[in-house]
Amino acid sequence: MQLSDFKIIVTGAASGMGAHFATRLAEAGAQVAAGDVNETGLAELVEAGQKLPGAIHARALDVSDDGQIASFVDWAHGAMGGLNGLINNAGVLRDGLLVKKDRKTGEIKTMSREAWERVISVNLTGATFMVRDVVAKMVATDAGPGAIVNISSIARHGNRGQSNYVSAKAALAANTLTWAREFAPFGIRVGAVAPGMIETPMTQGMNQKARDALVSAIPVGRIGEAEDIWLAVKFILECGYFNARTIDVDGGLSM
Ligand code: NAD
């Protein structure tokens, strides 16, 4: 498919990679429905995208709320005059060791249920129900060929201090194959991109020492940029023979 054929939802589109994907899609002539909890960021995205060949429509969306997902998908279908794609990108971090012993006091600290459930609720349940409702709408409206891109993470292979995030991103990569098989009869392909360490507000909030240590371990010698990940997303959207797989785009980094 050509990018200009897409009427596509981008979640987490108010900042970082999501904003970059939405802008690149509209530059290529696509219709984009941008959703995020950050309404200020959405307004800036729409403003910046006004003169692009495609269009960026935006509305508040919390993917951890089933009701909001359902009404967003209905709205997006109407706003774009159809729906044939999803970039499942919204995500949060609540990092911490599952069990930690304080070096000075000897106190034992553990990951809270809140930290576990928040990440699972946004990064896994939210992403899964986005796929469910987008595909249900595409099938109900005979949308024809379409594509879904899940944004996983290199953490899917396992990473210290991220039990919650690893669980969500690994499941998303595994279900990329599940959903590719389930939706093939409808002409819908499903792929995923697993970014390494990318320069966005998410990584800008990291502890500087941890960030420097990670960047120095990247074989290509630099942190990734949103454009590096866009190239993989674009490939999945355009290549009709790509299906069911997850592409690691990480500069060769192993966590
Ligand atoms: P980001 O924080 O800039 O973007 C994430 C966006 O998701 C934000 O705009 C945020 O408001 C939105 N969001 C958070 N909770 C939401 C919710 N409940 N409903 C709707 N939107 C919500 O970070 P980013 O780095 O651009 O992250 C984009 C995706 O890439 C995430 O899924 C993240 O896990 C993944 N990722 C990032 C990196 C990295 O190094 N930056 C690496 C691997 C994977």
Side-chain angles (χ1 to χ4, degrees):
M1 281 176 80
Q2 296 194 342
L3 293 181
S4 56
D5 294 333
F6 275 98
K7 296 175 175 179
I8 187 163
I9 290 174
V10 181
T11 68
S15 83
M17 288 190 255
H20 191 78
F21 302 156
T23 305
R24 282 282 187 253
L25 282 158
E27 280 171 1
Q31 293 283 315
V32 180
D36 202 295
V37 286
N38 173 0
E39 294 185 57
T40 313
L42 284 181
E44 287 166 8
L45 177 75
V46 170
E47 173 71 25
Q50 261 174 3
K51 295 211 168 74
L52 298 178
I56 302 177
H57 315 268
R59 187 167 129 153
L61 166 68
D62 181 346
V63 299
S64 67
D65 179 322
D66 299 10
Q68 285 194 35
I69 290 179
S71 62
F72 185 90
V73 169
D74 277 344
W75 164 81
H77 181 268
M80 298 189 290
L83 175 64
N84 59 9
L86 167 67
I87 301 182
N88 219 354
N89 167 77
V92 291
L93 292 175
R94 292 284 189 283
D95 290 353
L97 298 171
L98 197 59
V99 179
K100 181 181 177 181
K101 185 174 181 182
D102 190 286
R103 275 199 202 135
K104 285 184 192 147
T105 64
E107 188 191 350
I108 305 294
K109 291 185 180 160
T110 56
M111 177 179 280
S112 68
R113 181 168 277 273
E114 192 281 330
W116 172 266
E117 283 178 352
R118 186 65 198 149
V119 170
I120 297 299
S121 162
V122 174
N123 297 10
L124 181 56
T125 312
T128 302
F129 287 179
M130 280 304 307
V131 171
R132 181 192 68 177
D133 286 9
V134 164
V135 171
K137 176 65 84 182
M138 285 170 65
V139 173
T141 56
D142 281 328
I148 291 169
V149 183
N150 294 314
I151 303 300
S152 176
S153 166
I154 187 184
R156 74 192 180 100
H157 301 295
N159 192 29
R160 189 173 178 273
Q162 291 195 307
S163 301
N164 45 7
Y165 191 76
V166 166
S167 303
K169 296 299 192 183
L172 212 47
N175 276 331
T176 292
L177 183 141
T178 307
W179 298 328
R181 291 189 178 164
E182 289 186 8
F183 307 148
F186 308 127
I188 300 169
R189 292 179 300 107
V190 188
V193 182
M197 192 176 173
I198 310 302
E199 183 79 63
T200 70
M202 189 176 269
T203 44
Q204 282 152 8
M206 274 176 80
N207 167 293
Q208 191 63 39
K209 242 176 110 182
R211 192 185 138 103
D212 291 349
L214 257 179
V215 172
S216 68
I218 301 170
V220 299
R222 66 167 175 88
I223 192 166
E225 289 166 13
E227 180 68 11
D228 295 315
I229 305 308
W230 164 247
L231 293 177
V233 170
K234 177 175 182 288
F235 168 71
I236 294 175
L237 291 175
E238 289 180 335
C239 180
Y241 201 62
F242 186 85
N243 201 18
R245 308 288 174 226
T246 299
I247 310 174
D248 289 321
V249 182
D250 53 19
L253 173 69
S254 298
M255 284 182 151

